[in-house]
């Protein structure tokens, strides 16, 4: 079930859309488990909340809009009559996520999540002013995380687990300013492992606090660099062809903190924040590249803050809403239309319906107000510049089934 394309809609090229339940509240307090085992993505100790075998599936559709308002005075190709912005670079993305949890004893629990925590899909229409920087970019990940949970007592639960992650990246750029340009293509993939850990605290009746940790995963990407035509460089001409390359890329660790506070039988408030160590990614060199290519990302750390509420209309129907604010890791001087990331505000609504005692259905919708961001990038002596303008709409559905307990 984990396949398809993910579109980055969190800071950097992370994908936050792992839960329809959380989507409806801008993921407020998701590290503090509620009724959905999808909280395992943020805090694996959520595995200890089930009373019987439980499975959950989520499917999210992401509709991004991002286009460059071109400044022709700072764009090299404009002097040659190429002034196009490349159109909307954002591609519709589909993000699946599945979860499983069950008790082994009154104290021990096991679980498994299969998610896509990183992804990217952008395409520019050639010819355009930044075609030497970006034509297509795609990154896809699949992450399987088995976990083991232990309920210490009614107040404390802990869990640890392993990430087994596949990551694939594919980037294409132009080699000549033509309507159907010859291309340079960089691609590579890898499988590697990391860790997860979490703790859930219930110090008072109605209060839940959760802290979750996802470790960094170091990928040694093996792949190739392909030139459709010979490329002239200061050190000589590179013949057309395919050349083996490698690249080391460490995807960042994340710490999530969530709080859920029941106000009364009907109303619950949630809040949370996330820190992601994106600053460990700076310039990524491609070893073996005959052109000495690299990818300058130069990230800062990423931060996400959210606040939400749930209202139980009746025993079967719950409404939720939430807002979030995200500080993107992208610095203005390093922004590219390959990934036009910027700070954003999240606004979300959602609902859950208990079809019966076993089956529950979740729905979430979010609109993201993305800040305008300056773009000024030079590749192979070809400069383009302007302002990236964007927004995002996200729709998510989930189903959860409890096999007893």
């Amino acid at each position: 079930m984990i396949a398809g394309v993910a579109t980055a809609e969190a800071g950097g090229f992370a994908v936050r859309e792992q839960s329809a339940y959380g989507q409806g509240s801008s993921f407020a307090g998701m590290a503090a488990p509620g009724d959905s085992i999808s909280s395992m993505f943020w805090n694996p100790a959520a595995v200890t909340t089930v009373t019987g075998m439980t499975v959950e599936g989520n499917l999210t559709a992401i509709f991004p809009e991002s286009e460059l308002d071109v400044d022709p005075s700072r764009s090299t190709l404009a002097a040659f009559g190429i002034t196009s912005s490349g159109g909307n670079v954002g591609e519709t993305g589909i993000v699946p996520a599945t979860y499983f949890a069950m008790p082994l004893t009154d104290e021990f629990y096991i679980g498994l999540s299969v998610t896509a925590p990183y992804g990217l899909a952008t395409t520019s229409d050639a010819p355009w002013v930044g075609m030497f920087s970006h034509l297509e970019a795609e990154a896809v990940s699949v992450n399987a995380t088995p976990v083991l949970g232990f309920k210490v007592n009614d107040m404390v639960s802990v869990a640890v687990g392993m990430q087994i992650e596949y990551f694939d990246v594919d980037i294409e750029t132009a080699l000549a300013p033509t309507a159907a340009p010859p291309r340079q293509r960089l691609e590579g993939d890898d499988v590697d492992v990391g860790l997860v850990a979490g703790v859930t605290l219930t110090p008072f009746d109605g209060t839940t606090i959760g802290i979750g940790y996802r470790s960094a995963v170091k990928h040694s990407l093996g792949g190739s660099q392909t030139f459709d035509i010979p490329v002239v460089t200061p050190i000589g001409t590179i013949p057309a062809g395919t050349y083996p390359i490698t690249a080391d890329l460490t995807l960042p660790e994340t710490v999530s903190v969530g709080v859920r506070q029941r106000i009364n039988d009907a109303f619950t408030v949630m809040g949370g924040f996330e820190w992601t160590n994106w600053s460990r990614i700076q310039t990524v060199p491609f070893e073996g590249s005959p052109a000495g290519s690299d990818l300058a990302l130069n990230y800062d750390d990423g931060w996400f803050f959210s606040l939400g509420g749930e209202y139980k209309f009746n025993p079967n129907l719950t409404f939720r809403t939430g807002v979030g604010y995200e500080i993107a890791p992208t610095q203005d001087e390093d922004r590219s239309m390959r990934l036009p990331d910027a700070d954003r505000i999240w606004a979300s609504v959602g609902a859950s319906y208990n079809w019966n005692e076993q089956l529950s259905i979740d729905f979430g919708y979010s609109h993201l107000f993305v800040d305008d961001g300056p773009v000024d990038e030079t590749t192979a002596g070809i400069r383009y510049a302007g302002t990236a303008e964007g927004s995002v709409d996200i729709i998510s559905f989930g189903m959860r089934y409890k096999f007893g307990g």
Side-chain angles (χ1 to χ4, degrees):
M1 292 177 65
I2 293 294
V5 175
T7 299
E9 286 315 334
F13 46 91
V15 180
R16 180 167 285 110
E17 292 74 19
Q18 309 295 337
S19 167
Y21 180 93
Q23 191 77 54
S25 61
S26 296
F27 305 99
M30 282 301 289
D35 293 331
S36 170
I37 61 171
S38 60
S39 284
M40 290 166 55
F41 180 81
W42 292 268
N43 177 6
V47 71
T48 64
T49 61
V50 298
T51 56
M53 186 169 67
T54 304
V55 294
E56 181 174 332
N58 296 268
L59 195 65
T60 301
I62 305 173
F63 305 95
E65 294 282 340
S66 185
E67 190 164 347
L68 182 69
D69 182 8
V70 176
D71 182 350
S73 67
R74 295 184 291 150
S75 299
T76 304
L77 296 182
F80 299 92
I82 298 176
T83 59
S84 171
S85 68
N88 174 29
V89 302
E91 292 189 12
T92 298
I94 303 297
V95 182
T98 57
Y99 303 89
F100 163 84
M102 67 174 292
L104 294 177
T105 68
D106 289 342
E107 292 83 21
F108 287 96
Y109 298 74
I110 58 171
L112 174 69
S113 61
V114 184
T115 60
Y118 299 97
L120 165 67
T122 53
T123 301
S124 295
D125 300 326
W128 77 288
V129 295
M131 61 200 302
F132 283 81
S133 168
H134 175 255
L135 286 175
E136 295 185 27
E138 182 179 90
V140 176
S141 68
V142 179
N143 185 302
T145 305
V147 301
L148 175 65
F150 179 67
K151 182 175 285 188
V152 179
N153 52 43
D154 290 340
M155 294 179 61
V156 181
S157 295
V158 296
V160 295
M162 172 182 287
Q163 302 180 63
I164 305 167
E165 184 171 88
Y166 170 77
F167 184 69
D168 176 275
V169 62
D170 193 335
I171 299 172
E172 296 188 26
T173 57
L175 292 174
T178 60
R183 300 189 175 210
Q184 173 189 200
R185 183 180 185 186
L186 292 157
E187 55 183 333
D189 63 1
D190 179 59
V191 177
D192 220 304
V193 298
L195 301 174
V196 296
V199 59
T200 299
L201 308 173
T202 54
F204 313 105
D205 183 36
T207 301
T208 304
I209 302 168
I211 303 172
Y213 170 75
R214 296 179 67 89
S215 77
V217 179
K218 183 176 181 179
H219 288 285
S220 296
L221 304 173
S224 62
Q225 183 173 23
T226 301
F227 302 95
D228 287 352
I229 60 173
V231 177
V232 178
T233 73
I235 60 174
T237 299
I238 302 172
T242 299
Y243 302 86
I245 61 170
T246 61
D248 290 334
L249 177 66
T250 301
L251 299 180
E253 61 267 45
T254 300
V255 175
S256 302
V257 177
V259 178
R260 294 178 61 89
Q261 178 62 57
R262 188 175 70 241
I263 304 302
N264 54 42
D265 289 343
F267 187 57
T268 300
V269 295
M270 304 88 72
F273 75 87
E274 287 179 23
W275 165 77
T276 305
N277 190 19
W278 281 111
S279 59
R280 65 164 56 251
I281 301 179
Q282 297 300 304
T283 296
V284 181
F286 298 104
E287 300 295 336
S289 165
S293 302
D294 59 36
L295 184 62
L297 296 174
N298 299 322
Y299 282 151
D300 287 333
D301 286 351
W303 296 86
F304 182 70
F305 307 89
S306 55
L307 182 66
E310 289 183 347
Y311 177 71
K312 184 174 287 189
F313 181 75
N314 61 43
N316 294 323
L317 180 61
T318 300
F319 296 103
R320 61 183 56 90
T321 188
V323 294
Y325 182 70
E326 183 157 18
I327 301 173
T330 302
Q331 301 184 65
D332 286 349
E333 57 269 27
D334 293 295
R335 184 175 291 104
S336 163
M337 293 307 291
R338 178 175 50 251
L339 179 55
D341 194 21
D343 296 351
R344 64 200 69 189
I345 294 173
W346 292 63
S348 306
V349 294
S352 293
Y353 180 71
N354 297 325
W355 189 270
N356 53 41
E357 291 184 358
Q358 285 76 43
L359 179 64
S360 299
I361 300 170
D362 301 318
F363 167 79
Y365 167 77
S366 299
H367 181 81
L368 277 59
F369 302 87
V370 183
D371 288 354
D372 293 349
V375 176
D376 193 340
E377 188 176 32
T378 301
T379 303
I382 306 297
R383 182 188 186 190
Y384 77 102
T387 301
E389 302 171 344
S391 64
V392 187
D393 289 290
I394 304 169
I395 300 174
S396 187
F397 291 93
M399 299 181 66
R400 183 170 47 263
Y401 194 85
K402 303 176 183 178
F403 287 88

